[in-house]
Amino acid sequence: MTTDEKYMQRCLDLARQAEGLTQPNPMVGSVVVHNNQIIGEGFHQKAGLPHAEVNAINSVKNQSLLKESTLYVNLEPCAHYGKTPPCSLLIIKKKIPRVVIGCTDSFSAVSGKGIQMLKEAGINVVVGTLGKESREINRRFFTFHEQQRPYVILKWAQTRDGLIDYNRKAETDNRPNWITSESTRRLVHLWRSREQSIMVGSVTALKDNPSLTVRDWSGPHPLRIVLDRKNALPRHLALFDGTIPTLLFTGHKDESLQKVEQIVVPSNTMPVHFILNTLFKRGIQSLIVEGGAKLLNAFIESGLWDEARVFTGNKWFENGIKAPSTGKMPVQRQILTDSELLIYRNNLII
């Protein structure tokens, strides 16, 4: 690992401290190095608060050293006025002579403008240090701006014999069918806290009556989404309790349903495409899909998914509903106390 890579890795480590808290902004960390010593560092903590570069620069006790330092940041410094002033202007004002950047920012308001501004000010700019890793950490942000849709994570649990559920009748067995343990469910709730929205279909809503909250973890609840083309789900379900913002995608509105927002899916439209386009227009950068086999397969068949997180528990059902298959090879494998977790990737943004 080179010296620049070492300090860029520190930027990435800092950025991850705000995972799930910066949307719609990316996760960014920054360090200031003088004579091979870190003299300042910071990260973007929340949208509307100072950016990473500002926090790093302000943390330097002896500001005169900035004129002899290198600033590292995993994403191109902004060049526009948003909720905060442009970071590029601050870097120029502080006369920092060298800036090392992990990757460019594909957001249209930045997209090379920050780099150009720094270069025109005579600053030595290096771009691409740990570039792959810098894009990976902000894959939701890049997918949103480059593909104009949320980053889609599919999640399900399956048995050793490859089944996602046994043959239940919702009207007589209206409860979740757990394949994994409570510790695994806490991990899932951690995941939920880091994504902006979560979705199930009508069958899962009816069979499991899920709340889709972060009750077993601390963090923000994702926007709840349910697809019910017939708008026939019972109104007593937890998804309709009005405690958390919820979108119901349906074929027609029911004026008696007041606690959720209803969005009509045109009859000649593919629901997956329509839902993702609607979420994009609302600025939602990530979606975790926890539905049943029908909904999960709809995303897989459309090709509009980015990551699948699949638990295989120790149970055997012998007969029931076959689990989906991504048709991909896993990129990561983790052994948990009660199950095996495999991670699959579809659309790589690197």
Side-chain angles (χ1 to χ4, degrees), residues 19 139-140 143 149-156 188 190-192 194-199 276 285-291 295-296 299-300 304-311 341-346:
E19 188 169 5
R139 57 192 183 277
R140 296 162 181 79
T143 296
R149 63 167 177 81
Y151 184 86
V152 177
I153 300 169
L154 310 179
K155 189 238 83 179
W156 72 86
V188 172
L190 166 63
W191 292 347
R192 290 179 180 179
R194 293 175 173 174
E195 309 306 332
Q196 287 186 278
S197 61
I198 185 169
M199 181 180 183
L276 293 182
Q285 292 188 3
S286 63
L287 168 69
I288 184 166
V289 181
E290 294 193 14
L295 182 62
L296 291 165
F299 275 89
I300 293 171
L304 296 172
W305 65 280
D306 301 283
E307 188 175 328
R309 302 173 182 177
V310 182
F311 294 99
L341 172 62
L342 295 179
I343 306 294
Y344 300 85
R345 295 288 290 272
N346 185 27

Side-chain angles (χ1 to χ4, degrees), residues 12 39 51 60 73 78 84 97 108 119 124 134 152 176 200 230 233 239 250 266 306 344:
L12 295 171
I39 61 172
H51 289 184
V60 176
V73 61
C78 62
T84 59
S108 59
K119 287 183 175 179
N124 177 13
S134 294
V152 177
V200 295
K230 296 180 180 180
L233 286 171
L239 289 171
T250 182
D306 301 283
Y344 300 85

Side-chain angles (χ1 to χ4, degrees), residues 256-288:
S256 67
L257 186 58
Q258 300 293 325
K259 294 183 178 181
V260 302
E261 181 181 353
Q262 301 177 69
I263 301 174
V264 174
V265 181
S267 58
N268 60 345
T269 302
M270 295 292 289
V272 170
H273 293 77
F274 181 83
I275 290 168
L276 293 182
N277 186 50
T278 300
L279 295 181
F280 172 76
K281 291 179 179 178
R282 291 174 176 236
I284 302 298
Q285 292 188 3
S286 63
L287 168 69
I288 184 166

Side-chain angles (χ1 to χ4, degrees), residues 7-302:
Y7 293 123
M8 187 59 68
Q9 184 59 55
R10 177 58 182 164
C11 292
L12 295 171
D13 293 341
L14 288 166
R16 287 191 183 92
Q17 293 187 37
E19 188 169 5
L21 302 175
T22 64
Q23 299 97 338
N25 294 351
M27 293 181 285
V28 184
S30 180
V31 299
V32 180
V33 177
H34 179 266
N35 287 342
N36 209 28
Q37 294 290 327
I38 294 178
I39 61 172
E41 62 181 26
F43 62 95
H44 182 48
Q45 299 177 10
K46 187 178 180 181
L49 296 181
H51 289 184
E53 302 95 314
V54 176
N55 289 330
I57 290 172
N58 288 343
S59 73
V60 176
K61 292 181 179 179
N62 186 352
Q63 293 278 302
S64 66
L65 296 180
L66 291 171
K67 298 177 182 179
E68 304 169 353
S69 300
T70 296
L71 182 139
Y72 293 82
V73 61
N74 59 286
L75 187 68
E76 175 183 2
C78 62
H80 66 291
Y81 284 89
K83 293 183 179 179
T84 59
C87 292
S88 295
L89 286 181
L90 178 63
I91 294 170
I92 295 170
K93 178 182 178 182
K94 295 295 183 177
K95 298 182 179 179
I96 298 173
R98 184 171 184 261
V99 176
V100 179
I101 299 168
C103 63
T104 57
D105 187 342
S106 56
F107 176 43
S108 59
V110 184
S111 192
K113 298 181 180 70
I115 293 172
Q116 181 182 357
M117 185 181 296
L118 295 175
K119 287 183 175 179
E120 289 178 350
I123 294 173
N124 177 13
V125 180
V126 178
V127 182
T129 302
L130 296 188
K132 176 180 177 181
E133 293 82 354
S134 294
R135 283 183 61 82
E136 171 69 16
I137 192 176
N138 282 311
R139 57 192 183 277
R140 296 162 181 79
F141 178 82
F142 287 116
T143 296
F144 180 82
H145 288 289
E146 295 173 6
Q147 300 188 32
Q148 298 192 327
R149 63 167 177 81
Y151 184 86
V152 177
I153 300 169
L154 310 179
K155 189 238 83 179
W156 72 86
Q158 61 188 37
T159 60
R160 289 292 178 191
D161 49 350
L163 302 178
I164 197 172
D165 200 355
Y166 59 84
N167 293 313
R168 288 186 289 163
K169 292 184 178 180
E171 63 271 16
T172 59
D173 197 2
N174 184 227
R175 66 182 187 276
N177 175 41
W178 299 114
I179 294 175
T180 56
S181 70
E182 184 177 342
S183 62
T184 302
R185 293 197 291 275
R186 282 197 297 270
L187 173 60
V188 172
H189 286 204
L190 166 63
W191 292 347
R192 290 179 180 179
S193 73
R194 293 175 173 174
E195 309 306 332
Q196 287 186 278
S197 61
I198 185 169
M199 181 180 183
V200 295
S202 57
V203 175
T204 298
L206 186 61
K207 285 185 175 181
D208 294 351
N209 190 19
S211 61
L212 302 184
T213 61
V214 188
R215 59 192 180 277
D216 291 337
W217 200 263
S218 61
H221 298 296
L223 170 70
R224 301 188 300 195
I225 300 168
V226 58
L227 173 62
D228 179 17
R229 295 296 292 266
K230 296 180 180 180
N231 210 344
L233 286 171
R235 299 324 188 200
H236 68 266
L237 294 179
L239 289 171
F240 299 141
D241 62 12
T243 59
I244 297 170
T246 304
L247 300 182
L248 169 64
F249 285 89
T250 182
H252 60 89
K253 290 186 177 181
D254 178 358
E255 298 302 329
S256 67
L257 186 58
Q258 300 293 325
K259 294 183 178 181
V260 302
E261 181 181 353
Q262 301 177 69
I263 301 174
V264 174
V265 181
S267 58
N268 60 345
T269 302
M270 295 292 289
V272 170
H273 293 77
F274 181 83
I275 290 168
L276 293 182
N277 186 50
T278 300
L279 295 181
F280 172 76
K281 291 179 179 178
R282 291 174 176 236
I284 302 298
Q285 292 188 3
S286 63
L287 168 69
I288 184 166
V289 181
E290 294 193 14
K294 183 177 180 180
L295 182 62
L296 291 165
N297 280 322
F299 275 89
I300 293 171
E301 290 166 6
S302 72

